[in-house]
Amino acid sequence: MEQPIPAASELEADLIKDLLRSSWIIESARAAVYREWTPADETFEASRRRAEDRASLLEAALGERGKQPDAELVEPHAVWIRSLVGTPGEVALGNLFLARLGDWVDGHTAGFMPDGGAALRALGDEERGSLSWPSEFPAPPPFEPLPPPQGEPPGDVELRIAVLGDLHIGSTRAELMARAAIADINAAGVDLVVQLGDITDHGQIEEFHNAADVLGDLDAELVTMIGNHDVYSVSETKLMGRDYYPSVFGRAPDGVLLERKGFHIAVLDSAEHLASPFAPFDLASGAFLEGPGGAIVRGALTPPQHEILAEVAGPDAPPAFVFLHHPPQPFAGFPPILFGLREADAGRLHAVIDSGNVWGVFAGHTHRNARTRDYGKIPAQEVGIPRDFPFGFAILDIARQGYTYRFLQISDLELLRDAYGTAGDIHRRYGLGPADTRSFSFVA
């Protein structure tokens, strides 16, 4: 269905600008990948030209808003695309996935273009007309459980934290996979569990209560945060997260600072309380789905959370770990920029890391194992989730000298075998990430 676009007055001007920035990066990165594919198959030359022409249109729209494009993020985003689609013919449906990224641009950005996006859409229609779809989707790759990651902490472990990614309770398989992860976390004997938001899938009160029941099986202390899926109640079609979350989890979603065994644990509720103007978009079909799109996907921090960061950066403060739903900037995954923490807040986080007190930043939201960036030697790490491939959680073993990070797949082989059948090659490439994003050591 065609997605109606709100008037500019109905959407924050900086969010529109971020949409255009994101779309320019996507089209420029698509052009770069098509350029690399052309020597193997000359038919991709036309796709390269169309992507470059679309990028030029988006650059002009950015210029009208006084913004230059983010050229430095094109290659990082192209790296992300290559990690999923490989070389021509290497990954099943890879060329179709690459085209679908352009469909996202059309749906989300065309309405903010000077001509209503007519030229952008025409190029997109030309690209879609060139595609050939298979009569059936390929079978998923075989079941191959992941070997447990190795790594020894750089000293005696004083604090063990489990990091439990987005749960999405209310979606298919979410509760089963969450309970399996919790059983493994209990067996690991952790001191604290940090859950990274998107506790629910539709932001509905019954999902909050169900999630609380699931999380109630944890033996260790639990701290949660609110995610963008928790902000908007789909059944009530309004923003209810600031009411529902405290009623179930006992605090306002404005962050909390814990001190455990001489370490600061900063938990930041980075979901922005603003409804999305778009319906949900399905990359597989390249179309918007029926129903409201929930909260916007970008993150932001409230004034109380900036006060938490100020305390983390204090001159006599202990080593700290920062947990939040949204990865910081620059975010080069999909959609670039837009899916991360608002730049002003990411800049404040960067300043806090420069204080020397922060040992690591850990984010949810993306459903993958990935390194968003490094601040010097301080990692900003995205953590995979129980529901989606590779189906697991992370453990931090913290010593006075540093820590190890390990992403562990759930141990229930029966559940894993069934869940593997839902993950195709592209999905697996997306969620798994390279080995150094699944296990690493930090020495202070």
Side-chain angles (χ1 to χ4, degrees):
M1 71 179 184
E2 186 169 334
Q3 171 65 29
I5 302 295
S9 60
E10 298 174 23
L11 194 62
E12 294 181 1
D14 64 327
L15 188 57
I16 297 173
K17 194 178 296 183
D18 282 355
L19 269 171
L20 292 168
R21 293 168 66 195
S22 180
S23 295
W24 181 87
I25 294 166
I26 292 168
E27 291 301 324
S28 298
R30 289 176 67 236
V33 174
Y34 283 132
R35 189 179 305 113
E36 294 164 5
W37 282 10
T38 297
D41 186 340
E42 290 185 356
T43 61
F44 290 118
E45 173 60 21
S47 297
R48 177 204 60 78
R49 174 188 55 77
R50 285 189 283 265
E52 287 186 347
D53 289 347
R54 285 159 61 89
S56 295
L57 293 169
L58 290 158
E59 183 173 357
L62 277 170
E64 291 188 0
R65 289 169 170 79
K67 179 67 180 177
Q68 293 296 313
D70 302 85
E72 71 281 2
L73 292 185
V74 173
E75 179 55 23
H77 190 59
V79 167
W80 174 79
I81 293 175
R82 293 185 201 106
S83 73
L84 303 187
V85 301
T87 56
E90 178 184 354
V91 179
L93 308 180
N95 64 315
L96 300 177
F97 177 84
L98 187 52
R100 281 291 184 238
L101 300 181
D103 293 342
W104 184 95
V105 170
D106 285 349
H108 289 83
T109 314
F112 300 114
M113 303 288 285
D115 63 348
L120 190 77
R121 294 182 196 274
L123 289 164
D125 289 342
E126 186 179 329
E127 181 68 27
R128 285 182 284 275
S130 73
L131 299 175
S132 176
W133 288 86
S135 58
E136 59 183 24
F137 285 103
F143 173 57
E144 294 181 7
L146 298 177
Q150 303 302 310
E152 293 293 329
D156 294 334
V157 175
E158 299 197 15
L159 180 65
R160 173 172 276 194
I161 298 176
V163 187
L164 189 55
D166 304 16
L167 297 183
H168 289 279
I169 297 298
S171 63
T172 304
R173 298 192 322 278
E175 182 176 340
L176 280 174
M177 303 305 279
R179 290 190 184 277
I182 286 169
D184 287 346
I185 289 170
N186 287 341
V190 304
D191 301 295
L192 176 69
V193 180
V194 180
Q195 195 280 323
L196 295 175
D198 279 358
I199 305 166
T200 70
D201 199 50
H202 307 96
Q204 296 169 182
I205 189 61
E206 62 269 20
E207 292 177 344
F208 275 99
H209 285 300
N210 190 16
D213 177 68
V214 171
L215 292 166
D217 286 343
L218 284 164
D219 294 337
E221 178 186 7
L222 168 71
V223 60
T224 66
M225 66 184 69
I226 199 169
N228 56 292
H229 274 258
D230 306 316
V231 167
Y232 187 92
S233 171
V234 172
S235 63
E236 297 179 72
T237 63
K238 59 183 177 179
L239 299 165
M240 295 298 297
R242 292 195 69 88
D243 295 318
Y244 289 162
Y245 180 82
S247 73
V248 176
F249 291 101
R251 67 170 180 87
D254 288 313
V256 63
L257 182 62
L258 309 176
E259 186 166 349
R260 297 292 182 268
K261 299 186 179 181
F263 297 94
H264 265 160
I265 312 298
V267 175
L268 305 178
D269 297 277
S270 58
E272 195 164 7
H273 291 258
L274 182 65
S276 172
F278 303 104
F281 185 84
D282 178 30
L283 262 180
S285 65
F288 287 94
L289 306 177
E290 294 294 336
I296 65 170
V297 296
R298 187 184 66 176
L301 300 179
T302 59
Q305 293 177 91
H306 284 284
E307 293 175 8
I308 289 172
L309 289 176
E311 191 169 344
V312 166
D316 298 319
F321 295 85
V322 176
F323 299 90
L324 71 170
H325 186 61
H326 293 79
Q329 300 292 347
F331 178 74
F334 185 83
I337 296 176
L338 194 69
F339 215 63
L341 186 66
R342 188 175 60 176
E343 283 185 310
D345 295 314
R348 178 63 182 276
L349 176 59
H350 192 168
V352 170
I353 292 168
D354 286 345
S355 71
N357 295 339
V358 176
W359 282 10
V361 177
F362 301 91
H365 196 37
T366 61
H367 299 193
R368 64 175 186 167
N369 292 303
R371 182 65 50 78
T372 308
R373 59 166 299 172
D374 289 318
Y375 297 90
K377 69 174 187 176
I378 309 301
Q381 174 76 21
E382 301 165 39
V383 183
I385 74 171
R387 187 197 66 184
D388 296 346
F389 189 88
F391 313 113
F393 58 94
I395 294 285
L396 293 170
D397 282 320
I398 304 167
R400 288 294 153 196
Q401 300 89 342
Y403 64 92
T404 57
Y405 171 94
R406 293 174 297 139
F407 183 86
L408 303 172
Q409 192 172 59
I410 66 170
S411 63
D412 188 322
L413 292 181
E414 183 178 349
L415 278 181
L416 276 182
R417 189 179 297 277
D418 180 63
Y420 261 65
T422 67
D425 196 4
I426 291 176
H427 190 171
R428 296 188 192 189
R429 284 170 169 252
Y430 173 81
L432 182 59
D436 61 358
T437 67
R438 304 194 301 275
S439 177
F440 61 88
S441 295
F442 171 88
V443 179

